């Protein structure tokens, strides 16, 4: 007779059979373009540290100073004992970058999405969600109890069709989308989404996790990229990617932020962000504003790698049939491969050639792919090394 937990072994066996099994591999040392993994130095194409700030000595110094001044833990929720002047400074800096009235900092981006979506909509309401949205948007939508309709990826005609059919039967409507799609690298058609939102009396919430610090003339994200600053929007993002720290945020109107402080359970009932994380993020925002050359270097690297991947790996003289570069407008470049086993085998092979690349498989993305992320801190020879390793491994596999 089995125990009530015997099903766990069976479930794991099923995951293994599908080549969907995931395991942890430690990275040693500081983050950067080269990291230590499995005892060897590898060029890192798997990090979200787009501007190379996670190991910046200025962030570290700010975090250490904050620990000296305020200690390691925030000791309580923001509404009780956990609110520090640093939190307000960080929220003001985010509002300045986003050019919104105000902002609210959460303990993570995931919690920002769960708390915000569940506060804004409920059973009488409607959510329109891009089918490729991040897990945190999907889970927030489900948790809210609203009617959720997924529209085809970036398909505004499909979105309009669904709005036509369903909008009138619900109280509020919230359109939810990633700004940069995290497992594809393309960006949402924000101006068209805003037009539809105006026509159908709907709110729009955009997840700038991979946009902030990266896109737009000021590095304020896809909203900045499209010149939509000031539009009636709920902008969410994370402090943990280009900003090199930890935590999430929502930026928007004064009434939105005031409402969330009163209604977002994942903000009210959790401990305030640590002083160290708060100070590091604040230092990162200063750097994003003061050093646009980091963003320029990042885009030079993205353009170079995209062009070389196209020439050498996808359309080269010995082109790999079946490997495709997905359309991207960001530092996230994805090469599709035929199946999950191939993705895992190629990533392992690339590691032996000194490149750390992630194999992304279902259910994280609908199809298997190698996902490469470019950083401002990559040097051209490192990008070229990847191109050579990729074409070699693809021809051998
Ligand atoms: C990483 C990510 C999140 C979650 O942010 P964390 O701060 O890591 O919890 C949310 N949305 C998207 C699109 C992401 O890529």
């Amino acid at each position: 007779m089995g125990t009530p937990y015997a099903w766990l072994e069976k479930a794991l066996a099923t995951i293994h059979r599908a080549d969907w099994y995931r395991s942890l591999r430690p990275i040693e040392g500081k983050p950067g373009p080269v990291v230590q993994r499995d005892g060897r130095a590898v060029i890192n194409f798997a990090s979200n540290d787009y501007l190379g700030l996670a190991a910046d000595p200025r962030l570290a110094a700010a975090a250490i100073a904050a620990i000296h001044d305020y200690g390691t833990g925030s000791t309580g929720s923001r509404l009780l004992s956990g609110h520090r002047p640093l939190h307000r400074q960080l929220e003001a800096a985010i509002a300045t970058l986003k050019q919104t009235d105000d902002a609210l900092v959460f303990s993570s981006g995931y919690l920002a999405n769960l708390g915000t979506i569940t506060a804004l909509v409920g059973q009488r309401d409607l959510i329109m969600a891009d089918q490729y949205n991040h897990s945190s948007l999907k889970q927030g939508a489900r948790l809210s109890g609203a009617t959720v309709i997924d529209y085809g990826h970036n398909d505004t005609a499909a979105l309009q069709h669904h709005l036509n059919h369903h909008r009138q039967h619900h109280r509020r409507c919230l359109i939810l989308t990633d700004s940069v799609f995290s497992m594809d690298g393309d960006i949402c058609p924000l101006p068209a989404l805003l037009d539809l939102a105006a026509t159908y009396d709907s709110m729009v919430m955009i997840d700038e996790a991979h946009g902030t610090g990266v896109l737009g003339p000021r590095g304020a994200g896809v909203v900045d990229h499209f010149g939509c600053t000031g539009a009636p929007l709920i902008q969410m993002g994370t402090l943990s990617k280009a900003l090199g720290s930890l935590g999430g945020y929502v930026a928007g109107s004064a009434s939105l932020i005031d409402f969330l402080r009163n209604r977002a359970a994942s903000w009210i009932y959790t401990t305030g962000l640590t002083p160290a994380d708060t100070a590091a993020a604040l230092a990162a925002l200063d750097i994003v504003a003061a050093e646009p050359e980091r963003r320029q270097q990042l885009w030079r690297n993205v353009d170079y790698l995209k062009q070389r991947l196209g020439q050498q790996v996808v359309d080269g003289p010995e082109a790999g049939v079946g490997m495709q570069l997905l359309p991207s407008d960001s530092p996230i470049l994805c090469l599709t491969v035929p199946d999950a086993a191939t993705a895992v085998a190629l990533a392992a092979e690339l590691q032996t050639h000194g490149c750390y690349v992630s194999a992304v498989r279902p259910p994280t993305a609908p199809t298997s792919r190698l996902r490469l992320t470019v950083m401002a801190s990559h040097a051209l020879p490192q990008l070229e090394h990847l191109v050579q390793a990729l074409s070699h491994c693809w021809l051998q596999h």
Side-chain angles (χ1 to χ4, degrees), residues 48 107-111 113 133-137 178-183 207-210 236-241 246-248 371:
N48 298 316
S107 300
S108 77
Y110 208 108
L111 288 172
N113 277 335
N133 276 350
H134 188 260
S135 161
S136 52
L137 292 173
D178 281 22
S179 74
V180 175
F181 285 86
S182 57
M183 293 299 142
D207 179 337
E208 293 266 34
H210 296 273
M236 169 279 161
T238 180
L239 309 173
S240 66
K241 287 171 180 151
L246 182 69
R371 177 178 182 270

Side-chain angles (χ1 to χ4, degrees), residues 11-22:
L12 280 168
T14 307
I15 294 169
H16 273 291
R17 266 198 307 277
D19 285 309
W20 286 11
Y21 185 73
R22 298 139 184 262

